[in-house]
Amino acid sequence: MKFTVVTILPELVEPALAAGVVGRAREAGTIAVGTVNPRDFTSDRHRTVDDTPYGGGPGMVMKAEPLLAAIAAAVGVEPAHRILLTPAGRPLTQARVRELAAAHRHLVLVCGRYEGVDERVIEHAIDEELSIGDYVLSGGELGALVVIDAVARLVPGVLGEPASADEESHSAGLLEYPQYTRPPKLVLAVAGDESVPDASLSGVVREVPPVLFGGNHAAIASWRRRQSIERTARRRPDMFARFAPAKADRKLVTPLHARTHLALVHHPVHDRTGAVVTTSLTNFDIHDLARSSLTYGLAAYHIVTPITSQREKAEHIARLWLDDTPARPPPSSGSRANALALVRTADSIETVVAELTAQYGRPPRIVATSARTTSFPGAARCTPEELRAAATVAGLGEERPEPLLLLLGTGWGLADDRIPNVAYLLSPIEGTADWNHLSVRSAAAILLDRLFGRASG
Ligand code: ADE
């Protein structure tokens, strides 16, 4: 694999390419790296490579002619893939790195400087624009080094053990597990500890996790997998949302949807004046939320109302379907009867909590929803992605992980000061208008899709 960096600062990139994995690979001839300087393709005394932007504005723009000539020289006669490093490019990912390593034998990495590059260069001499992150550097040189390092590691013969590239963060959609080496017990010295009279402060002992000793390879693999999953969920909920547990993960990761209970709350809720009221049951809600609950694999759907006749009505309607068309056993994907079989009724949220506590042997983690960001001031704010990550981590490796109770308010929303122990408030669904009055059925479907929909994981 050959890399050619087009840069007006070869002195910035060359030292970095002489050391480490890349330096050794160059020495061994596994990769070749060179630089081409656009200043060598100027004809004026000052070797000018930039000029002021048409239309005004701050900074300077890299001129087209020297850059086009430098890119042509860098490409040479063999085909090459030309990449411009720019904060306006597509974010570089490990997947793209893998493709670059597999698809090309020569990468020409063009480093922008100043305010940018004359757009005509990009139109005529660039195949792809890449960014190494959402921040602005003074030029593309560091980005070019990042691309070279990431791609070179995947070139056969560059790494001693190819597996070490595979196992690392991002390759498998998870961050890497923590690593340890000798000594098994590390005594941390505290800076200036002679001045600390309390001996207990002079050093802290940090031990290597015992599972890593003793050579039980299955136990080590399982510990590492768990660490990777946990780290990814905590640090990168966005990445975790795309993580699909493998078969072997099933013991470790219990699917969150299967321990999630939806509660449609008719009391205590607000009316339009802010008073706490009891709303009446809506027939549509029985069916539609039951169908959404089955579609997203929830454990149950609880209709909460203190009015006995309304609970009886809900149970009656659900039973009608069950009597007509019995719920189909797995592996059938279900029927409307399977959806209505998820319906349970309760006179209060407290009753649902008590039932789940009895069923799971521990109380549920309660999650509220609201159209207002100011509701439930004591609850942690979270997006569906963050909730999914946090609740999955809480259940990792647990034989009986805690259930999740998702509260949906009717009327003008849940009466937050009457509902204790709410751990999380999900961020409201925002449309584009100032008016924000989705039906509870629509809101539930959107939230369930954001939490559990396949598109998000
Ligand atoms: N040049 C300046 N900032 C950059 C970034 N974030 N990625 C790639 N090239 C850049």
Side-chain angles (χ1 to χ4, degrees):
M1 171 72 89
K2 185 174 162 189
F3 302 91
T4 309
V5 186
V6 176
T7 171
I8 56 164
L9 290 176
E11 66 276 22
L12 181 61
V13 299
E14 266 156 9
L17 296 170
V21 169
V22 170
R24 281 196 298 278
R26 280 178 89 181
E27 265 174 34
T30 329
I31 62 167
V33 188
T35 56
V36 174
N37 190 340
R39 287 199 196 281
D40 296 338
F41 299 86
T42 53
S43 46
D44 64 316
R45 205 156 54 90
H46 301 291
R47 310 211 316 148
T48 309
V49 289
D50 61 325
D51 205 341
T52 52
Y54 279 122
M60 302 289 271
V61 175
M62 287 190 85
K63 285 168 69 62
E65 304 94 316
L67 202 49
L68 285 168
I71 294 170
V75 169
V77 287
E78 301 287 330
H81 185 67
R82 301 158 301 178
I83 299 173
L84 176 71
L85 280 306
T86 161
R90 282 203 191 177
L92 181 68
T93 60
Q94 187 63 28
R96 187 66 196 130
V97 166
R98 243 179 274 136
E99 287 165 3
L100 289 173
H104 304 288
R105 303 196 55 196
H106 183 191
L107 296 181
V108 171
L109 301 158
V110 181
C111 306
R113 285 248 130 207
Y114 312 109
E115 283 307 304
V117 166
D118 189 307
E119 190 66 18
R120 292 165 294 184
V121 175
I122 301 173
E123 283 164 12
H124 293 289
I126 292 297
D127 300 306
E128 172 174 17
E129 294 172 75
L130 282 180
S131 162
I132 58 159
D134 288 340
Y135 38 79
V136 180
L137 304 167
S138 356
E141 284 76 8
L142 296 178
L145 292 173
V146 166
V147 173
I148 295 173
D149 193 285
V151 173
R153 312 174 73 255
L154 302 185
V155 172
V158 168
L159 286 189
E161 261 181 89
S164 55
D166 260 341
E167 274 204 30
E168 282 171 39
S169 299
H170 298 278
S171 286
L174 290 175
L175 300 180
E176 205 194 7
Y177 48 80
Q179 297 275 23
Y180 299 85
T181 186
R182 274 182 282 270
K185 281 188 187 181
L186 181 69
V187 182
L188 301 176
V190 174
D193 57 358
E194 288 134 339
S195 62
V196 180
D198 184 347
S200 71
L201 293 177
S202 70
V204 174
V205 179
R206 298 297 316 273
E207 293 186 33
V208 172
V211 65
L212 299 176
F213 303 113
N216 182 341
H217 296 297
I220 292 172
S222 150
W223 181 87
R224 286 180 165 166
R225 184 78 183 162
R226 180 184 171 147
Q227 295 291 321
S228 277
I229 294 172
E230 195 166 335
R231 267 191 170 181
T232 312
R234 282 192 204 285
R235 297 178 186 180
R236 293 287 306 274
D238 59 317
M239 202 168 158
F240 189 68
R242 294 186 296 275
F243 165 65
K247 249 192 193 159
D249 294 326
R250 296 230 175 103
K251 264 199 188 147
L252 203 57
V253 194
T254 46
L256 186 58
H257 59 80
R259 53 186 164 98
T260 296
H261 292 247
L262 194 71
L264 181 66
V265 179
H266 297 82
H267 179 88
V269 292
H270 290 298
D271 70 4
R272 66 170 73 225
T273 69
V276 176
V277 295
T278 301
T279 54
S280 41
L281 183 68
T282 303
N283 197 348
F284 290 138
D285 290 343
I286 306 172
H287 289 259
D288 291 2
L289 288 173
R291 292 165 72 170
S292 296
S293 299
L294 180 65
T295 301
Y296 292 94
L298 305 199
Y301 162 39
H302 305 254
I303 295 174
V304 180
T305 171
I307 305 173
T308 309
S309 62
Q310 303 231 317
R311 291 198 304 278
E312 285 170 356
K313 189 172 287 170
E315 286 159 19
H316 173 73
I317 289 170
R319 247 198 331 270
L320 281 180
W321 281 89
L322 287 171
D323 293 346
D324 252 24
T325 40
R328 294 185 196 146
S332 154
S333 52
S335 68
R336 179 84 73 99
N338 290 78
L340 285 153
L342 294 175
V343 172
R344 295 200 214 165
T345 61
D347 60 356
S348 65
I349 297 173
E350 289 74 15
T351 301
V352 179
V353 170
E355 284 175 10
L356 298 189
T357 308
Q359 183 182 339
Y360 289 85
R362 55 201 298 185
R365 188 175 288 222
I366 304 178
V367 182
T369 56
S370 172
R372 287 186 302 270
T373 48
T374 48
S375 303
F376 295 94
R381 269 63 189 141
C382 66
T383 62
E385 232 172 41
E386 288 161 351
L387 172 63
R388 177 173 164 157
T392 305
V393 165
L396 270 185
E398 297 258 350
E399 221 167 278
R400 306 185 71 186
E402 65 184 0
L404 206 65
L405 177 58
L406 198 58
L407 302 180
L408 291 164
T410 55
W412 262 251
L414 296 165
D416 52 358
D417 53 349
R418 303 281 184 96
I419 306 173
N421 303 324
V422 170
Y424 293 105
L425 177 70
L426 274 178
S427 39
I429 298 164
E430 303 273 6
T432 51
D434 293 337
W435 199 80
N436 186 0
H437 290 276
L438 287 172
S439 71
V440 72
R441 298 177 294 283
S442 305
I446 293 169
L447 286 176
L448 289 180
D449 194 66
R450 289 183 182 172
L451 273 168
F452 305 122
R454 288 221 177 111
S456 63

